[in-house]
Amino acid sequence: EMYEDDAPHGTPTTYFLAAMISYRAMFLENPSRNYTPSNDVIAQVRDNYPALVDYIETRMAHYNNIPNGLRVY
């Protein structure tokens, strides 16, 4: 459910997840937990949106805390 074809072109869900990560990196803050993803995004992502926001924050913090590591903010 993440790719439309073998090119591979992503589905709205793929691009939505990428946008969440990009937003966190660009603005140094989480996307709003009050946001409701559209019905174009698969139910598993819509239903777990707040947990995904938290997961992205945790993963980015992990990489930012590696000594001499790449910062992804």
Side-chain angles (χ1 to χ4, degrees):
E1 293 188 29
M2 299 299 286
Y3 298 98
E4 290 184 350
D5 54 33
D6 61 357
H9 294 102
T11 64
T13 299
T14 304
Y15 297 121
F16 178 75
L17 292 170
M20 288 177 66
I21 296 164
S22 297
Y23 184 95
R24 175 72 168 105
M26 289 172 36
F27 297 107
L28 305 178
E29 63 183 45
N30 291 326
S32 172
R33 285 182 176 78
N34 296 324
Y35 179 76
T36 302
S38 75
N39 288 334
D40 291 338
V41 174
I42 62 173
Q44 292 92 331
V45 171
R46 287 193 319 267
D47 295 345
N48 293 291
Y49 173 77
L52 288 168
V53 170
D54 293 340
Y55 180 77
I56 291 167
E57 179 179 26
T58 299
R59 293 308 301 165
M60 289 187 136
H62 167 78
Y63 288 110
N64 289 337
N65 289 324
I66 296 173
N68 300 316
L70 176 66
R71 301 291 185 251
V72 292
Y73 301 98

